[in-house]
Amino acid sequence: MGGLGGMGSRSSRSPFGDSMFGAFGPDTMFRSFGESAPSGVPKKAAPVESKLQCTLEELYCGSTRKMKISRNVMDASGKSMPVDEILTINVKPGWKKGTKITFAEKGNEQLNMAPADLVFVVDEKPHDVYKRDGNDLVVTHKISLAEALIGTTISLTTLDGRSLTIPVNEVISPGYEKVVAREGMPIPKEPGKKGNLRIKFDIKFPSRLTSEQKAGVKRLFSAG
């Protein structure tokens, strides 16, 4: 199998590198409990997998990825020759880590053996702001103790570039989460539906209080 990568990348003869595909041979082909394939049916090399790194934005909005591979094919005389090929992957909104995209028999062609399948496995790149939890998006927002008591307003930029302003008027206690409905990840099996945005809070308590501040806090809460 030849090289594989994004458009413009330089490839070797194996789509995922020689160390992965070069090891495949007659002893690593699929067989049922060690038995040979039925007569007349060509054996097939084991699938070759590679990670497809996607940003959270790509998994939210969807994207089109072009992957260049180089592989060996057999001509009419049985001679092996290298060819380059572009594979297109349409990343669907809401796809999760572990989603597999299979290109049947896009491996090297070998005499008396069916080419291996190429399998791309979605992997999710870390995001600076959001974390994914199933179909939900989770944000941790730092606030002061005063904001926790009197409320605050949170401004976020969504994964599709929208500005989101979220007022928080509740008293925020440790462990409290603010839930914004339908601002999570798209749900592929339920078109038009999304998970939720969950905002967690990291409350910064003051390291010390003056005597006057302590007295003020005591008066405040005693009044209630």
Side-chain angles (χ1 to χ4, degrees), residues 1-2 4 15-16 21 44 48 69-73 83 85-87 102-109 114-120:
M1 181 77 48
L4 180 150
F16 305 110
F21 197 82
K44 187 170 183 176
V48 180
I69 67 168
S70 295
R71 66 192 189 108
N72 295 325
V73 300
V83 296
E85 192 170 345
I86 303 298
L87 302 179
T102 300
F103 291 88
E105 299 190 355
K106 286 298 183 180
N108 287 334
E109 292 184 0
D117 294 340
L118 299 187
V119 182
F120 294 89

Side-chain angles (χ1 to χ4, degrees), residues 52 54-56 58-63 65 89-102 120-124 132 134-135 185-189:
L52 179 67
C54 296
T55 65
L56 204 51
E58 288 177 309
L59 296 175
Y60 183 92
C61 301
S63 68
R65 300 285 293 274
I89 301 175
N90 293 313
V91 178
K92 303 298 183 184
W95 272 6
K96 296 180 179 179
K97 180 177 180 179
T99 299
K100 294 185 176 183
I101 309 97
T102 300
F120 294 89
V121 184
V122 171
D123 196 21
E124 186 179 295
R132 185 174 186 174
N135 294 318
M185 294 295 293
I187 302 175
K189 294 182 179 179

Side-chain angles (χ1 to χ4, degrees), residues 143-162:
I143 59 173
S144 66
L145 179 58
E147 289 174 315
L149 294 173
I150 66 175
T152 186
T153 299
I154 300 171
S155 296
L156 293 170
T157 300
T158 63
L159 293 172
D160 57 353
R162 293 175 292 116

Side-chain angles (χ1 to χ4, degrees), residues 29-220:
M29 297 179 293
F30 280 140
R31 47 174 67 89
S32 177
F33 299 99
E35 297 178 359
S36 299
S39 178
V41 178
K43 298 177 182 179
K44 187 170 183 176
V48 180
E49 293 190 353
S50 179
K51 289 184 179 180
L52 179 67
Q53 295 281 351
C54 296
T55 65
L56 204 51
E57 286 85 354
E58 288 177 309
L59 296 175
Y60 183 92
C61 301
S63 68
T64 299
R65 300 285 293 274
K66 301 286 187 180
M67 309 301 293
K68 181 179 180 180
I69 67 168
S70 295
R71 66 192 189 108
N72 295 325
V73 300
M74 307 287 288
D75 64 15
S77 66
K79 182 180 178 181
S80 179
M81 57 183 294
V83 296
D84 292 336
E85 192 170 345
I86 303 298
L87 302 179
T88 301
I89 301 175
N90 293 313
V91 178
K92 303 298 183 184
W95 272 6
K96 296 180 179 179
K97 180 177 180 179
T99 299
K100 294 185 176 183
I101 309 97
T102 300
F103 291 88
E105 299 190 355
K106 286 298 183 180
N108 287 334
E109 292 184 0
Q110 302 180 50
L111 192 63
N112 299 324
M113 186 166 69
D117 294 340
L118 299 187
V119 182
F120 294 89
V121 184
V122 171
D123 196 21
E124 186 179 295
K125 294 181 180 179
H127 195 274
D128 291 338
V129 176
Y130 297 97
K131 289 185 179 180
R132 185 174 186 174
D133 184 10
N135 294 318
D136 291 346
L137 290 172
V138 180
V139 172
T140 299
H141 187 70
K142 293 183 178 181
I143 59 173
S144 66
L145 179 58
E147 289 174 315
L149 294 173
I150 66 175
T152 186
T153 299
I154 300 171
S155 296
L156 293 170
T157 300
T158 63
L159 293 172
D160 57 353
R162 293 175 292 116
S163 294
L164 206 59
T165 301
I166 305 156
V168 183
N169 300 316
E170 307 90 337
V171 172
I172 302 168
S173 57
Y176 172 79
E177 288 187 6
K178 177 75 172 181
V179 177
V180 184
R182 298 181 298 279
E183 285 293 350
M185 294 295 293
I187 302 175
K189 294 182 179 179
E190 299 180 57
K193 292 188 177 182
K194 294 180 180 179
N196 297 326
L197 170 63
R198 291 158 38 206
I199 304 172
K200 297 183 177 183
F201 297 91
D202 181 6
I203 304 171
K204 183 178 180 181
F205 286 79
S207 58
R208 59 181 298 275
L209 292 174
T210 65
S211 298
E212 290 182 357
Q213 288 172 326
K214 290 179 181 179
V217 171
K218 186 176 182 179
R219 286 195 303 271
L220 175 66

